[in-house]
Amino acid sequence: MAPATSTSSYIYDFVRTPFGRYGKTLAGTRPDDLAALVVGEIARRNPDLAVESIDDIILGDANGSGEDNRNVARMAALLAGFPASIPGATVNRLCGSGMEAVIQASRAIETGDARIMLAGGVESMSRAPWVLLKPQKGFPAGNDTLHSTTLGWRMVNSAMDPRWTIPLGETAEILADRFDVSRQEQDAFAAQSHQRAAAAWDAGTFTGQIVQVPGAELAADEGLRRDTTVDTLAGLEPAFRPDGSVTAGNSSPLTDGAAALLIAGADAGLGAPLARIVSRGVAANDPNIFGIAPVEAANIALARAGLTWADVDFVEINEAFASQAISCIRLWDGLDPDKVNVDGGAIAIGHPLGASGARILGQLARKLEANGGGIAVAAICVGVGQGLAVVLER
């Protein structure tokens, strides 16, 4: 494994909001307020952290076209009451934005460009606005089209290969066909996600990482359905193909939420870290099979760490779709599937695009702490054919 150095980067803390379903409890909260809440909570609960010592804040945000106000990281710092001298940058790698933020923060630490960073992500899919193209000339007489920015393709360049601009759900159907993932397997995976997340909430696994959103009574992740079984999921109609296997029940829901991590070097004076960031990986493939891009990203990250899947104790794969997650697990040679998403995943917890990568990294760091040590891999698929992965150790 890659050795720790004087410039290694560490995760010291992790907080997130409960994740809310589209149009439900968190829909009344602006994304900049969600972001301000989690970065402010990091400062509040770490008395050894002098806010003025934060070198930069990096947040992921997949939309940014509405109340996110282009640079939600800077807005969050100001709304949280941080000194105006604390910078903020917002990054966009779609579903991987929150993980990208942590990756960039860790690199800043390891290169000596920073000593203490906040990183994470936010998304309000409920409040993502409609957008309208500007007219080609003044005073158009005809009608025009509003485009939703909640999810997926919009205003596509006509030069783009049409094979690549299919709906995300159709890409999940392609993977189900290619890797022979049955409807029954997808529903069983989804039911397990709900069961494991419910057990984790009941065991208090998530309690220490949650900050409640003012004005929103949401005690737990709103997408969690405790009564979910394979039988209840079997009654749902296919969502994307009339004869398909991908349903609303074995896909992640549209979600609102935010997450933040405290990233610093060993000499930051912040107490004992949760985990060390060992290595990172990024990969890309055809957009119409974007869901398996994390396979190569994680293999790259493990190789850079000098590790194999046999060395890994815990894995978090973001569950965009059950067929996508199952395909990745099958393609990781030597991985024990029982090590994956042991506390549930995005099908139950939710997938607020810009925040999900930060959530799974923070959750793994907490899992390593509770376990007393180990090796963990976080991986996430990214729309338009990309994947990210990070290796952690404690």
Side-chain angles (χ1 to χ4, degrees):
M1 183 173 62
T5 69
S6 59
T7 55
S8 291
S9 59
Y10 297 84
I11 298 171
Y12 283 87
D13 200 6
F14 160 59
V15 298
R16 70 174 178 93
T17 67
F19 287 174
R21 289 186 70 87
Y22 181 84
K24 301 296 184 181
T25 305
L26 297 187
T29 306
R30 292 171 55 112
D32 50 1
D33 285 329
L34 290 173
L37 177 66
V38 291
V39 300
E41 179 66 7
I42 287 281
R44 187 197 67 78
R45 60 191 259 164
N46 286 278
D48 293 333
L49 173 64
V51 173
E52 60 272 15
S53 69
I54 298 171
D55 291 294
D56 204 356
I57 299 172
I58 305 177
L59 295 182
D61 182 21
N63 272 317
S65 56
E67 295 164 330
D68 329 59
N69 210 351
R70 296 185 178 89
N71 187 0
V72 72
R74 176 61 171 167
M75 307 306 167
L78 296 173
L79 289 167
F82 287 7
S85 59
I86 307 302
T90 301
V91 297
N92 186 351
R93 204 191 282 264
L94 300 180
C95 301
S97 298
M99 189 175 291
E100 178 69 22
V102 175
I103 286 172
Q104 293 196 22
S106 66
R107 286 178 181 148
I109 299 295
E110 292 168 24
T111 59
D113 286 344
R115 185 164 165 266
I116 298 174
M117 302 279 290
L118 297 188
V122 63
E123 206 75 50
S124 176
M125 300 182 80
S126 295
R127 300 179 73 87
W130 291 297
V131 296
L132 180 69
L133 279 171
K134 289 183 178 179
Q136 295 297 312
K137 59 182 180 180
F139 310 108
N143 299 320
D144 214 328
T145 301
L146 285 171
H147 301 265
S148 172
T149 65
T150 297
L151 182 69
W153 297 92
R154 54 186 175 268
M155 297 178 284
V156 178
N157 191 314
S158 61
M160 188 73 74
D161 188 328
R163 294 174 303 164
W164 293 345
T165 60
I166 59 177
L168 299 181
E170 176 60 20
T171 72
E173 291 282 11
I174 290 173
L175 293 181
D177 289 345
R178 180 173 295 194
F179 297 102
D180 195 25
V181 185
S182 69
R183 167 69 184 270
Q184 291 72 26
E185 288 173 307
Q186 293 174 60
D187 287 349
F189 185 90
Q192 177 180 262
S193 184
H194 285 277
Q195 292 158 7
R196 287 180 170 181
W201 272 103
D202 292 345
T205 301
F206 299 147
T207 303
Q209 61 184 243
I210 296 295
V211 55
Q212 292 297 326
V213 179
E217 296 182 7
L218 187 58
D221 298 309
E222 202 166 16
L224 174 60
R225 290 176 171 167
R226 292 175 174 271
D227 59 351
T228 299
T229 66
V230 173
D231 289 340
T232 60
L233 292 174
L236 297 176
E237 295 293 324
F240 303 100
R241 288 184 189 173
D243 60 346
S245 60
V246 180
T247 73
N250 56 40
S251 308
S252 61
L254 304 179
T255 315
D256 308 325
L261 295 89
L262 176 58
I263 314 291
D267 61 349
L270 297 173
L274 301 175
R276 180 169 73 96
I277 297 173
V278 179
S279 62
R280 299 151 289 250
V282 59
N285 56 21
D286 285 352
N288 58 348
I289 52 169
F290 81 92
I292 58 169
V295 173
E296 183 61 16
N299 289 340
I300 290 169
L302 280 171
R304 287 175 177 163
L307 299 168
T308 69
W309 285 109
D311 300 309
V312 176
D313 299 289
F314 302 103
V315 176
E316 285 281 338
I317 173 74
N318 193 58
E319 300 168 356
F321 300 93
S323 66
Q324 161 264 325
I326 293 169
S327 298
C328 289
I329 293 166
R330 288 181 178 176
L331 289 168
W332 280 320
D333 187 29
L335 171 63
D336 179 356
D338 289 337
K339 296 178 179 180
V340 180
N341 294 6
V342 297
D343 295 320
I347 289 174
I349 294 169
H351 179 21
L353 306 178
S356 290
R359 176 191 71 81
I360 63 176
L361 275 170
Q363 192 156 312
L364 276 179
R366 288 289 184 193
K367 178 59 68 176
L368 291 175
E369 178 192 35
N371 192 55
I375 305 293
V377 176
I380 192 165
C381 61
V382 180
V384 202
Q386 298 186 82
L388 287 176
V390 173
V391 176
L392 303 178
E393 69 95 13
R394 179 180 171 94

